[in-house]
Amino acid sequence: MESALRTDSSSNNGVGDGGFLAACRERRLWLCSAAERLRCAVVGFAGKLGKIARDDPRRVAHSLKVGLALTLVSVLYYTPLFNGWGETTIWAVITVVMVMEFTVGATLSKGLCRVLGTLAAGLVGVGAHLVADLCGGKGEAILLAVFLFLAASAATFSRFIPEVKERYDYAMAIFILTFSLVTVSSYREDPGDLIELAHERITTILVGVAICLFTTLFVFPIWAGEDLHELAAGNLDSLAEFLEGMGSECFGENSSCENLEGKAFLQVYKSVLNSKAKEDSLITFAKWEPIHGKFRFRHPWNQYQKLGALCRQCTSSMDALASFVITLKKAQCPEANPVLCLKIRATCAAMSLHSAKALRGLSLTVRTMTGPSPINNDVSTATKAASDFRAELSEDVALLQVIHVAIVASLLSDIVIQIEGITESTNSLARLARFKNPAEIRSRSNVVINIEN
Amino acid sequence: MESALRTDSSSNNGVGDGGFLAACRERRLWLCSAAERLRCAVVGFAGKLGKIARDDPRRVAHSLKVGLALTLVSVLYYTPLFNGWGETTIWAVITVVMVMEFTVGATLSKGLCRVLGTLAAGLVGVGAHLVADLCGGKGEAILLAVFLFLAASAATFSRFIPEVKERYDYAMAIFILTFSLVTVSSYREDPGDLIELAHERITTILVGVAICLFTTLFVFPIWAGEDLHELAAGNLDSLAEFLEGMGSECFGENSSCENLEGKAFLQVYKSVLNSKAKEDSLITFAKWEPIHGKFRFRHPWNQYQKLGALCRQCTSSMDALASFVITLKKAQCPEANPVLCLKIRATCAAMSLHSAKALRGLSLTVRTMTGPSPINNDVSTATKAASDFRAELSEDVALLQVIHVAIVASLLSDIVIQIEGITESTNSLARLARFKNPAEIRSRSNVVINIEN
């Protein structure tokens, strides 16, 4: 508003000065507004970067560590001490760029894969060279090409074996790479030069891996195991938050139960549903990590996978409950059986609040790594409330029976509503992707029939 | 059995020949059994490989394609035509190994990232070299190291920006790699040599990328878009299979509804729940792919993400329904209100079978890419059954109200049961990881108190 007023007054001042000055001013204003837009974009981008850094300050540490490791490896090249290394130093640089990962476990596994892959391919490659050498001349080149084709195909296929893919995928890529380089180079080199080349390459890769491990282990180490542990505790907290929200907003004494749709607590469990991929990769990396902090030798990493699967299964029930509660509140039916309803409502409040407390206790157990306290009876209280509710219902057998089939029917009708959504989504895909339209084809043939008639 | 008999008879024959012959025979038997075990292991491994190949024969094609591309690139080195290339050919080999991916989209995106990253880093690197050159001597080395540290840190940090991570992660890795190589080499090379080096490197990388694109596009191409399309249709089929199973096994006329726990149809939706990671990566790659087959320019790839999200939400309700049905059948309550129960059961059968039919229709629509047929009224039939069920219930307001709160309570008590499982899992984690035990600490302090008393 203020800037608009200023613009107006400045153009009023310039009315008598003719078109030239006005044009100058206009251009200046345009430049100002362009500069303002640029400033806004830069500020916005800086804010975004700041948020990424604040969300997880270890990202900044990791970036600086990569810079540090590369500078360290380049020092090897600058110093006269390593002048003899010459061209092969680039392998140390490539190793650092490719092996440095966010967590210690990932860096360790990639470093080990790189060393293993290089060693295996070096041995096989020199063997292939010696065999091909027996043929000599053109035969050698053809035989080497055949070997390369076979080895690369076999190694690529082995990457589809689940066990290899999980642990040695990068080692296989490095095997193919090194084997190609050895066979390709071996055509022009002496066997003696070749072995020296292989030796230099392995040494530089070892130096690169050593620098990576030094930086990743001793400069602000980031452990996959700790991330995994934190993820497990965070998942338990998310589940607790949902139940706390349900307890206070739906079953509380003064809860209105209206406009639940936008509430944050009804969304909080969704992060748990999508945590599987992150969890799996963290478990793979955590297994490579040495003893550190609270994590001893043979820490039961697979147990986190089981816990995560149970948490995700729990979120499925929460999802069904959340969508049911939202639809229920929309229906707005009057209170018809207030005594029973109040009773069940109190049971629900007890179940959700005690379950939430139990989950908070479990999350604290995981976070502090202090064994489960035997005085925490929240789970048994919640279980008792659930079984009491069932026992009470089972007194009225007819009602229980009706409720059971009604629950099944109600869940099914929920599914039907979701399938309506799926149908709409598929139809809009068909429209956007311009699927062939059977109705059009039919109406066209109708037109033909009409004309013929 | 047969081999055991043979072993017995052969040792009976050898009783009189003394210890030596018996030992020989024993060793032979041991060798035989070792050979047998080895044979079994080899056969088992071959069977596993065969299964991997049969599950998706394109895996074999991809492996052979990698072999082909590498052989093609090595031919560049063998032929006298490219003798002038010398050492730089290794860049073409590295490019082929790193860029060749399973699908066309992935190969294209990695190839483009590699070219972009190399070009950008080459330009920035030569600029940094020119600036550092002004200082000369030791100053140059220090300035280059500082530049390297800053550029590597900044580029690594940029990989945490979600948009960069999704599309240009590999380009950033290549930027860091090339920039390091240029700065490290530039200390010892002339500027003229450096530019020639950069030129050679870019040319060889272009040749490598060209060979990859040729192989991936023209030799048995594997499209991420087709995989994504197939995944969407397969998800719809999985949902349909679950509902068909429910319709026939739970609500059918002669269905016994017993021992549902191990049934396959109750597990089939679980693959849909875990399809998110695969779907996301396929969408990213599909966006890079050129027009092919049934997929035109600007195919609505994001629509698949929406459809997938809806399918996964539907599986949450299915999960709740499945676990409820399994618990329900275990409870074995008698039929108390047979008229209403039969009615609801018939409604459930109608809902599940019509929904399943609708889903099969949608999956056919996606598979054949033929627009939705307007005569397919299964969705509306299912929706009508669902709303009829609701209308019928709403006539008896008291019953409806009780059912609503009972459903909420029942879902909550399901959650409570799942939390019991989570508690057990956390406790076994605590036991296996030997968390500190508060009870022990307390009992120890009790002992101290007792002694003091």
Side-chain angles (χ1 to χ4, degrees):
Chain A
M1 190 63 200
E2 207 180 314
S3 83
L5 283 174
R6 220 182 298 134
T7 314
D8 281 348
S9 66
S10 67
S11 45
N12 282 342
N13 286 348
V15 162
D17 301 344
F20 177 71
L21 278 179
C24 279
R25 259 187 221 108
E26 214 163 84
R27 182 167 294 174
R28 216 177 56 206
L29 282 171
W30 181 85
L31 277 174
C32 280
S33 80
E36 183 64 19
R37 272 202 302 273
L38 186 70
R39 205 185 62 84
C40 281
V42 168
V43 167
F45 185 67
K48 194 173 182 177
L49 290 186
K51 194 180 171 305
I52 290 169
R54 271 196 307 278
D55 282 352
D56 191 350
R58 300 175 307 168
R59 289 170 176 164
V60 180
H62 172 68
S63 308
L64 296 178
K65 274 160 69 182
V66 173
L68 177 67
L70 273 174
T71 316
L72 277 179
V73 90
S74 76
V75 163
L76 290 183
Y77 200 84
Y78 294 139
T79 49
L81 195 71
F82 290 89
N83 251 341
W85 285 41
E87 281 301 310
T88 47
T89 324
I90 57 163
W91 290 111
V93 174
I94 295 177
T95 303
V96 169
V97 173
M98 290 298 162
V99 165
M100 274 298 277
E101 290 278 333
F102 191 61
T103 58
V104 175
T107 311
L108 259 173
S109 86
K110 272 192 128 178
L112 207 69
C113 277
R114 192 159 184 115
V115 172
L116 277 179
T118 308
L119 280 176
L123 286 175
V124 178
V126 169
H129 175 67
L130 293 177
V131 171
D133 219 26
L134 300 174
C135 298
K138 282 205 169 175
E140 185 186 349
I142 293 169
L143 211 56
L144 281 177
V146 170
F147 282 154
L148 179 59
F149 179 79
L150 291 179
S153 302
T156 306
F157 187 73
S158 78
R159 293 171 79 179
F160 290 112
I161 302 171
E163 290 84 1
V164 174
K165 189 165 187 60
E166 194 197 328
R167 291 207 150 198
Y168 301 106
D169 193 57
Y170 187 64
M172 280 299 162
I174 292 300
F175 177 88
I176 300 171
L177 179 62
T178 309
F179 186 81
S180 317
L181 294 182
V182 170
T183 47
V184 164
S185 312
S186 71
Y187 182 56
R188 291 203 196 151
E189 314 263 356
D190 287 331
D193 284 356
L194 193 71
I195 286 168
E196 199 185 322
L197 194 82
H199 175 243
E200 272 184 2
R201 187 168 139 77
I202 286 168
T203 315
T204 42
I205 284 178
L206 282 176
V207 169
V209 169
I211 286 176
C212 285
L213 289 188
F214 169 78
T215 331
T216 203
L217 274 171
F218 298 111
V219 185
F220 200 89
I222 299 166
W223 303 97
E226 271 177 18
D227 268 20
L228 177 63
H229 198 75
E230 187 54 40
L231 182 70
N235 278 353
L236 291 170
D237 274 334
S238 298
L239 299 187
E241 204 178 326
F242 173 82
L243 287 170
E244 283 162 3
M246 286 299 279
S248 61
E249 302 265 335
C250 287
F251 314 122
E253 283 186 7
N254 301 317
S255 61
S256 66
C257 257
E258 272 166 21
N259 298 326
L260 281 176
E261 208 160 359
K263 296 275 178 183
F265 78 89
L266 286 175
Q267 306 292 327
V268 79
Y269 61 85
K270 290 197 176 161
S271 65
V272 182
L273 258 184
N274 295 327
S275 64
K276 192 180 185 321
K278 194 181 172 194
E279 192 178 274
D280 284 350
S281 79
L282 283 179
I283 288 173
T284 310
F285 296 142
K287 284 179 184 166
W288 287 94
E289 290 179 350
I291 308 165
H292 61 278
K294 308 164 284 185
F295 303 99
R296 311 179 195 201
F297 183 59
R298 288 183 175 276
H299 190 79
W301 297 118
N302 286 327
Q303 194 64 32
Y304 291 84
Q305 205 154 25
K306 289 178 196 162
L307 182 59
L310 287 172
C311 286
R312 279 187 291 279
Q313 212 194 324
C314 194
T315 53
S316 285
S317 300
M318 288 183 173
D319 205 43
L321 182 58
S323 72
F324 186 79
V325 168
I326 290 171
T327 2
L328 180 67
K329 293 305 153 193
K330 274 186 191 155
Q332 292 281 352
C333 54
E335 295 264 344
N337 191 341
V339 181
L340 184 62
C341 283
L342 267 180
K343 216 170 184 176
I344 297 184
R345 205 168 165 164
T347 311
C348 285
M351 281 197 280
S352 49
L353 289 178
H354 283 290
S355 300
K357 261 192 202 166
L359 285 169
R360 290 282 184 200
L362 292 178
S363 130
L364 194 72
T365 296
V366 172
R367 257 185 239 279
T368 59
M369 293 188 90
T370 312
S373 161
I375 44 164
N376 182 349
N377 289 320
D378 282 305
V379 181
S380 41
T381 315
T383 317
K384 201 176 165 296
S387 60
D388 281 357
F389 156 71
R390 283 197 175 125
E392 205 158 312
L393 271 190
S394 67
E395 280 170 17
D396 189 346
V397 179
L399 182 64
L400 177 69
Q401 182 71 18
V402 171
I403 284 176
H404 275 174
V405 286
I407 288 175
V408 171
S410 166
L411 283 172
L412 255 182
S413 64
D414 250 22
I415 292 175
V416 169
I417 291 169
Q418 279 160 352
I419 286 170
E420 272 192 289
I422 290 175
T423 309
E424 271 166 37
S425 176
T426 313
N427 286 353
S428 64
L429 171 67
R431 203 179 57 248
L432 289 168
R434 289 186 234 153
F435 284 6
K436 294 183 291 282
N437 193 338
E440 240 172 51
I441 298 168
R442 210 176 314 111
S443 67
R444 259 184 230 149
S445 50
N446 280 347
V447 169
V448 172
I449 292 163
N450 284 341
I451 291 171
E452 280 174 351
N453 282 352
Chain B
M1 189 63 201
E2 208 180 314
S3 83
L5 283 175
R6 220 182 299 133
T7 314
D8 281 348
S9 66
S10 67
S11 45
N12 283 342
N13 286 347
V15 163
D17 298 346
F20 178 72
L21 277 180
C24 279
R25 258 187 220 107
E26 215 163 83
R27 181 166 296 174
R28 215 177 58 208
L29 282 172
W30 182 85
L31 278 174
C32 280
S33 80
E36 182 65 18
R37 273 203 301 272
L38 186 71
R39 205 185 63 84
C40 281
V42 169
V43 167
F45 185 67
K48 194 172 183 179
L49 290 186
K51 192 180 173 303
I52 290 170
R54 272 195 309 277
D55 281 353
D56 192 350
R58 300 175 306 169
R59 289 170 176 165
V60 180
H62 171 67
S63 307
L64 296 177
K65 273 160 69 182
V66 173
L68 178 68
L70 272 175
T71 315
L72 278 179
V73 88
S74 76
V75 163
L76 289 184
Y77 200 84
Y78 294 141
T79 49
L81 194 70
F82 290 89
N83 251 342
W85 285 39
E87 283 301 311
T88 48
T89 324
I90 57 164
W91 290 111
V93 174
I94 295 177
T95 303
V96 169
V97 173
M98 290 297 162
V99 165
M100 275 297 278
E101 290 278 335
F102 191 61
T103 58
V104 175
T107 310
L108 260 173
S109 84
K110 271 194 127 177
L112 207 69
C113 276
R114 194 164 181 107
V115 172
L116 277 180
T118 308
L119 281 176
L123 287 175
V124 178
V126 169
H129 176 66
L130 293 177
V131 171
D133 219 25
L134 300 175
C135 299
K138 282 205 169 175
E140 185 185 350
I142 291 168
L143 210 57
L144 280 177
V146 170
F147 282 154
L148 178 59
F149 179 79
L150 291 179
S153 301
T156 306
F157 188 73
S158 78
R159 292 170 80 179
F160 290 112
I161 302 170
E163 291 83 2
V164 174
K165 188 164 187 60
E166 195 197 328
R167 290 207 152 198
Y168 301 106
D169 193 58
Y170 188 64
M172 280 299 161
I174 293 300
F175 177 88
I176 301 171
L177 179 61
T178 310
F179 187 82
S180 317
L181 294 182
V182 170
T183 46
V184 164
S185 312
S186 69
Y187 182 57
R188 293 204 194 149
E189 314 263 355
D190 285 334
D193 285 355
L194 194 70
I195 286 168
E196 198 184 322
L197 193 82
H199 175 244
E200 272 185 2
R201 187 168 138 77
I202 286 169
T203 315
T204 42
I205 283 178
L206 282 176
V207 169
V209 170
I211 286 176
C212 285
L213 290 188
F214 169 78
T215 330
T216 204
L217 274 171
F218 298 112
V219 185
F220 199 89
I222 298 166
W223 303 98
E226 270 177 18
D227 268 20
L228 178 62
H229 198 74
E230 187 53 41
L231 182 71
N235 278 354
L236 291 170
D237 274 334
S238 297
L239 299 187
E241 204 177 325
F242 173 82
L243 288 170
E244 283 163 3
M246 285 300 279
S248 62
E249 302 265 334
C250 288
F251 313 123
E253 283 186 7
N254 301 317
S255 62
S256 67
C257 256
E258 273 166 24
N259 298 328
L260 281 175
E261 207 159 0
K263 295 275 178 183
F265 78 89
L266 286 175
Q267 306 292 327
V268 80
Y269 61 86
K270 291 199 173 159
S271 65
V272 182
L273 258 184
N274 295 327
S275 63
K276 189 177 189 320
K278 194 182 172 192
E279 192 179 272
D280 284 349
S281 79
L282 283 178
I283 288 173
T284 310
F285 296 142
K287 283 179 184 166
W288 286 94
E289 289 179 348
I291 308 166
H292 60 278
K294 308 163 283 184
F295 303 99
R296 312 180 196 199
F297 182 59
R298 287 181 177 275
H299 189 79
W301 296 117
N302 286 328
Q303 194 63 31
Y304 290 85
Q305 205 153 28
K306 289 179 196 162
L307 183 59
L310 287 172
C311 285
R312 278 187 292 279
Q313 212 194 325
C314 193
T315 53
S316 285
S317 300
M318 289 183 175
D319 205 43
L321 182 59
S323 72
F324 186 79
V325 167
I326 290 170
T327 2
L328 181 67
K329 292 306 152 195
K330 275 185 191 155
Q332 293 281 353
C333 54
E335 294 266 343
N337 191 340
V339 181
L340 184 61
C341 283
L342 267 180
K343 215 170 185 176
I344 297 184
R345 205 167 164 163
T347 311
C348 286
M351 281 198 277
S352 50
L353 289 177
H354 284 290
S355 299
K357 261 192 202 166
L359 285 169
R360 290 280 183 202
L362 292 178
S363 129
L364 195 72
T365 297
V366 172
R367 257 184 239 280
T368 58
M369 292 188 89
T370 312
S373 162
I375 44 165
N376 180 350
N377 289 321
D378 282 304
V379 182
S380 41
T381 314
T383 317
K384 201 175 163 297
S387 60
D388 281 357
F389 157 71
R390 283 197 175 126
E392 204 157 313
L393 271 191
S394 67
E395 281 171 17
D396 188 345
V397 178
L399 182 64
L400 177 68
Q401 182 70 17
V402 171
I403 285 175
H404 274 174
V405 286
I407 288 176
V408 171
S410 166
L411 283 171
L412 255 181
S413 63
D414 250 22
I415 292 175
V416 169
I417 291 168
Q418 280 160 351
I419 287 171
E420 273 191 288
I422 291 175
T423 309
E424 270 165 38
S425 177
T426 312
N427 286 353
S428 63
L429 172 67
R431 204 179 54 247
L432 290 168
R434 289 186 235 152
F435 284 6
K436 293 183 290 284
N437 194 339
E440 241 170 52
I441 298 168
R442 212 175 313 112
S443 68
R444 259 183 231 149
S445 51
N446 280 348
V447 169
V448 172
I449 292 163
N450 285 341
I451 290 171
E452 281 174 350
N453 284 351

